[in-house]
Amino acid sequence: MQLTEKHKQYWQKNLRLTGILLAVWFIVTFVIGYLARDLQSITILGFPFPFYMAAQGSLVVYVLIIWYYAHAMNKLDQEYGVHEGDD
Amino acid sequence: MATQSTASFSAQLTRYYSFYTGGFVAFVILIAILEQMGVPNKILGYMFLGATVLLYAGIGIMSKTADVSEYYVAGRRVPALFNGMATGADWMSAASFIGMAGTLYLSGYDGLAFVLGWTGGYCLVALLLAPYLRKFGQFTIPDFLGARYGGNIPRSIGVFAAILCSFTYVIAQIYGVGLITSRFTGLEFSVGVFAGLAGILVCSFLGGMKAVTWTQVAQYIILIVAYMIPVVWLSVKHTGNPVPQIAYGYVLEKVTAREQVLNDPTTPDGAKEAEVRAIFKQKQEAAEGKLKALEAGGAAYLAEEKGKLVQAAADLKAKPDADPAAVAAADKAVADFPVDAAAATAAWKKAAAGAKAKAGPIAAHAEPFAGKDDEARNKKRKNFLALVLCLMVGTAALPHILMRYYTTPSVKEARKSVFWSLFFIFLLYFTAPALAVLAKFDVYTLLVGSSFSELPSWVSAWAAVDKTLMSVTDINKDGIVQLAEITIGGDLIVLATPEIAGLPYVITGLVAAGGLAAALSTADGLLLTIANALSHDVYYKMINPHAATTRRLAISKGLLLVVAVFAAYVTSLKPGDILFLVGAAFSLAASAFFPALALGVFWKRANKWGAILGMSAGLGTCMYYMFMTYPFFGVNAPLWWDINPISAGIFGMPAGIIGVVVGSLLTAAPSKEVQDLVDHVRYPNLEGDIKTEAA
């Protein structure tokens, strides 16, 4: 099976999206986690910011990351003609 | 395969599960009415657990199947939303349902590693694995390793690792089943284990993945309802706001203020706390003194100490007006005295550690990585981040979860399904920290400062059931409860919430049913993974590829039974600590599977020898570190960079990645067929594509 230029572009776009979303994932988890003690003085809805992120904020971001990926990729499939037929 | 469209199947399922939810609510109301009529709690407990298990059995029997695709992957027609619910139940175990809020109560911010790790891992599942595995579309995770890397060796290592981590995890689940069954029905723990086992088997035995999927959806509904009701109620009680996740920020502020008062000896409450802590400090020093003397004096010191106790008891008895209670206490002290030096060391070390924990100030709930100096704080931070990473990568490598994405009708549905999975898991996980704070507020403000003669009823009730879960002792004999006088076991928080919130017993029964649903559903998924690895990967793919369908399914079901009974037997021996078993499963999965799976999709150059080297290096490093450092194995070697054994995967993962890369680059590139396979999984649909999906 031979891949066309278009196929390669699709995969590149997928890789870029995956990379960006993983970077967001990394920042909300590990960067904020690492700096937790330094961010303690910021308050949000009564919570210290790092506690809020670890208990709720990051979780919301994770849900959004996955929702956005599914949405964007399902659209990209259509755009590049690699989508599956309707069952 | 599919005889009706996904949309109409989805609509039909929605109808079924709406009826089911309505029926369940009616059942709860019925029990509530029975309670008001005076039916004893124990009977209600039996009814709750019995009815739910019968219900799962009913779904299991209705889903019986003789079709291979239905047995292994539920016929690949589970819509995204329902697969999400099933994954949620599959995912959330007894540890999440019962243990999580308790862990957060006891360790504050640092406990959030579990919340982050067990949700963030789904980002990796969604971005790196689920859509590609669905496109590949066979039956098990070793299937993918076998096809991608070729030959039986990668598949065999995959089978071994899948069984190792699933078995470690399933023991923790069956333990949870036994605990709940025995607590709410009064059966012996080991009887409870086997009774629970029957419940697990009825779901999966006849219908495999198909039955497990539909019971898991039912179990998810019960467990989420059971978790939410008491927390919402507690939130209304303390904040007047029925959305605990929003309301508890201000409760957390109050808890923090209260912590400061209790830690400040110049306030009346703080002074009382300081008094109790001083007593614990003395106890700690006394135990440490005895340890030191034992080290110096050995057996002679032990005999001398025992002699003193015997003498004291004799002196007391010799007095004409001896108090009988004091005599009994003196006799007990003699009887409880450690028999040899090893027992004495263990007992006194435990006493010293217990007293030390009570002698220090209260750790602030919202403070990350609390410690006495920078070194201690950095050590905590390092372990927190390492644990988060191990749990996340482990999530994206546990075969019983990845397997669920084989069951959706398409790649598109698989992507959406990861979203629904995390959404349903998120509902529970962002509630648990709220529950922990609300319960803490209750304890810090209502229980602390109350009088020993009028303890809240839930305190005396739970203290009577199990001293490790709840005990209060008046250490400084002032008749008032101080925080340092309370000992709470983590599991108490979820189990006692309905009573803390002042709800009737029916809600307690509901929580028990929810906990049982969480443990049963996870155990089902895990047992099925183990049995499938043995029957499909070992028997069908390696021993007898020409086996007929009926024979394959018969063997699979037989193995399921054998594995389940064996797991229950191991559980009844009560090995190790639950949280460690769970953590170990994640570290093992992360080290063994993740590098070979992810690189298999994203790096075409990865080949058979890379996979073999990477998987064995990852698994080997992880197992070696656990064996050397986890106290259970008795080696107790020094830690590497202070990393706790639960996060052994932090060393296993890089070893695995380096192994795959080095092994692949040292040997020839994979064949054209394998590279085509990689392209095949990368594109949901390609013209002139090969076909890998197994019917």
Side-chain angles (χ1 to χ4, degrees), chain B residues 105-131:
Chain B
Y105 177 95
L106 296 174
S107 45
Y109 178 94
D110 295 356
L112 293 172
F114 290 97
V115 174
L116 282 173
W118 284 342
T119 52
Y122 279 86
C123 290
L124 302 176
V125 175
L127 299 174
L128 305 178
L129 295 169

Side-chain angles (χ1 to χ4, degrees), chain B residues 197-467:
Chain B
L197 180 73
I200 295 170
L201 282 175
V202 291
C203 308
S204 48
F205 188 66
L206 293 173
M209 191 62 153
K210 183 182 172 199
V212 167
T213 302
W214 303 126
T215 40
Q216 280 174 341
V217 175
Q219 285 161 336
Y220 177 79
I221 294 171
I222 292 187
L223 81 85
I224 200 69
V225 170
Y227 204 84
M228 290 296 180
I229 289 181
V231 189
V232 168
W233 204 277
L234 197 58
S235 174
V236 171
K237 180 181 162 194
H238 285 316
T239 67
N241 183 338
V243 188
Q245 296 85 355
I246 296 174
Y248 83 105
Y250 299 100
V251 180
L252 181 60
E253 277 182 340
K254 288 187 204 157
V255 167
T256 307
R258 184 80 181 141
E259 281 160 352
Q260 279 156 2
V261 171
L262 295 179
N263 273 341
D264 179 359
T266 58
T267 63
D269 285 353
K272 290 273 190 192
E273 291 293 334
E275 193 183 307
V276 177
R277 276 183 217 140
I279 298 174
F280 277 112
K281 185 85 192 157
Q282 283 168 8
K283 289 191 176 186
Q284 179 200 343
E285 279 160 3
E288 283 169 354
K290 282 202 274 186
L291 277 171
K292 225 176 242 155
L294 177 66
E295 222 167 274
Y301 168 75
L302 210 58
E304 188 190 321
E305 283 296 296
K306 180 155 188 176
K308 276 188 209 161
L309 286 178
V310 172
Q311 187 59 46
D315 286 352
L316 201 59
K317 280 179 204 157
K319 282 187 197 164
D321 55 346
D323 175 13
V327 172
D331 280 339
K332 191 167 180 316
V334 174
D336 288 349
F337 196 77
V339 284
D340 56 20
T345 313
W348 293 339
K349 266 195 179 153
K350 198 174 155 204
K356 189 179 176 198
K358 294 273 186 180
I362 317 162
H365 189 82
E367 187 190 349
F369 328 126
K372 61 179 190 306
D373 52 22
D374 270 345
E375 198 195 326
R377 283 191 281 267
N378 282 337
K379 202 164 133 184
K380 275 197 174 175
R381 172 163 73 182
K382 219 159 39 177
N383 273 296
F384 178 87
L385 297 174
L387 181 58
V388 170
L389 186 67
C390 284
L391 295 176
M392 283 189 174
V393 178
T395 304
L398 277 173
H400 75 288
I401 291 301
L402 295 177
M403 220 164 72
R404 288 230 54 93
Y405 298 101
Y406 281 139
T407 66
T408 58
S410 65
V411 175
K412 189 176 159 190
E413 288 283 302
R415 290 185 189 128
K416 282 203 260 174
S417 168
V418 192
F419 162 72
W420 284 116
S421 303
L422 183 59
F423 176 77
F424 288 125
I425 291 165
F426 162 81
L427 287 183
L428 189 142
Y429 279 36
F430 94 128
T431 311
L435 173 56
V437 169
L438 290 168
K440 207 165 214 177
F441 179 73
D442 217 292
V443 169
Y444 281 21
T445 57
L446 298 181
L447 181 54
V448 171
S450 65
S451 144
F452 268 91
S453 53
E454 320 168 1
L455 289 171
S457 58
W458 64 271
V459 175
S460 20
W462 281 95
V465 175
D466 190 340
K467 287 268 175 242

Side-chain angles (χ1 to χ4, degrees), chain A residues 17-69:
Chain A
L17 180 63
T18 306
I20 293 169
L21 293 177
L22 280 180
V24 176
W25 165 83
F26 184 83
I27 291 168
V28 296
T29 312
F30 295 103
V31 176
I32 294 182
Y34 187 83
L35 298 175
R37 290 191 70 87
D38 309 302
L39 301 171
Q40 191 67 0
S41 54
I42 309 171
T43 312
I44 168 170
L45 290 172
F47 299 94
F49 177 71
F51 186 93
Y52 179 80
M53 285 308 285
Q56 292 191 0
S58 300
L59 277 64
V60 174
V61 176
Y62 300 150
V63 174
L64 291 178
I65 287 176
I66 299 178
W67 175 82
Y68 182 77
Y69 181 75

Side-chain angles (χ1 to χ4, degrees), chain B residues 230 458-459 462 470 491-502 508 511:
Chain B
W458 64 271
V459 175
W462 281 95
M470 179 83 220
D491 291 349
L492 177 84
I493 302 301
V494 167
L495 294 175
T497 302
E499 287 149 287
I500 298 177
T508 305
V511 168

